[in-house]
Amino acid sequence: MSCAGLRRDDPDGLVITWARTTYRLHALRRVPGATAWLPSLFVNVMQPTDDGRLLVVRMSSWTAAPGRWQLPGGSAEPPEDDGLLDTAALRRHAARELAEEIGADTAPDELTLWLVIRDEGGSVGVLFLAPSRPAPFLHERFADLVASETALGRDPELDRITLVRSPAELARLSGPHADYLEPVVRRYAAQRS
């Protein structure tokens, strides 16, 4: 899906206009000089631990963003039967992404809308905050997911997870980072202080 527009409708409201697109349009983003593309619409989950750290994940080498550190999530998908793509639909998608990527089942209604961002490419991200979980639980769920995917002959979408408390800890992770990640971690850390 692509973001076709973004506007405030009141001090606490935001209207995101979306359009169904094909993978071909997504692939145009990777063609140098291409101008016929729309920014994407994505969801991410901020998964904190009981001790205040935040889960960040690294994309596997075969993905569209190999080795990139980011928050769990992905591109928003069109709602079924031409339904509304509202906060509830985005929340359900974010919960599904968290389960698919790290193996942690979280009910959609447990996710709180935390922030809407725009990345350097103009894509719009809707970030949800999950309830805190123990760090060992998150590591165990991810290890179980990787083992399950591997047993089925599939390569997991993520090759690593880690927990960070600050932008300084994030900076020590080797490899590229999603452009929104450092400001989001900074804001999260400031709110925890």
Side-chain angles (χ1 to χ4, degrees), residues 61-102:
S61 61
W62 59 268
T63 63
R68 182 176 75 182
W69 289 98
Q70 60 187 43
L71 297 171
S75 295
E77 296 174 6
E80 295 179 14
D81 301 323
D82 293 325
L84 286 176
L85 184 64
D86 58 7
T87 305
L90 292 171
R91 188 177 281 117
R92 286 189 301 273
H93 183 68
R96 187 171 53 251
E97 288 286 340
L98 191 60
E100 289 174 359
E101 291 187 352
I102 66 164

Side-chain angles (χ1 to χ4, degrees), residues 74-157:
S75 295
E77 296 174 6
E80 295 179 14
D81 301 323
D82 293 325
L84 286 176
L85 184 64
D86 58 7
T87 305
L90 292 171
R91 188 177 281 117
R92 286 189 301 273
H93 183 68
R96 187 171 53 251
E97 288 286 340
L98 191 60
E100 289 174 359
E101 291 187 352
I102 66 164
D105 290 327
T106 302
D109 61 353
E110 292 182 284
L111 299 177
T112 304
L113 179 61
W114 192 74
L115 185 66
V116 176
I117 60 170
R118 211 165 197 161
D119 71 10
E120 291 176 359
S123 293
V124 174
V126 181
L127 279 62
F128 292 94
L129 182 64
S132 296
R133 297 272 178 89
F137 170 82
L138 295 173
H139 285 288
E140 179 183 300
R141 297 300 299 153
F142 181 69
D144 290 348
L145 177 72
V146 169
S148 174
E149 289 289 301
T150 304
L152 294 171
R154 297 190 293 238
D155 291 326
E157 185 176 1

Side-chain angles (χ1 to χ4, degrees), residues 33-89:
T35 58
W37 62 273
L38 293 170
S40 67
L41 176 60
F42 63 94
V43 295
N44 282 128
V45 179
M46 311 257 314
Q47 176 60 71
T49 58
D50 291 345
D51 65 0
R53 292 178 292 169
L54 190 63
L55 177 79
V56 294
V57 300
R58 187 173 71 184
M59 300 296 291
S60 292
S61 61
W62 59 268
T63 63
R68 182 176 75 182
W69 289 98
Q70 60 187 43
L71 297 171
S75 295
E77 296 174 6
E80 295 179 14
D81 301 323
D82 293 325
L84 286 176
L85 184 64
D86 58 7
T87 305

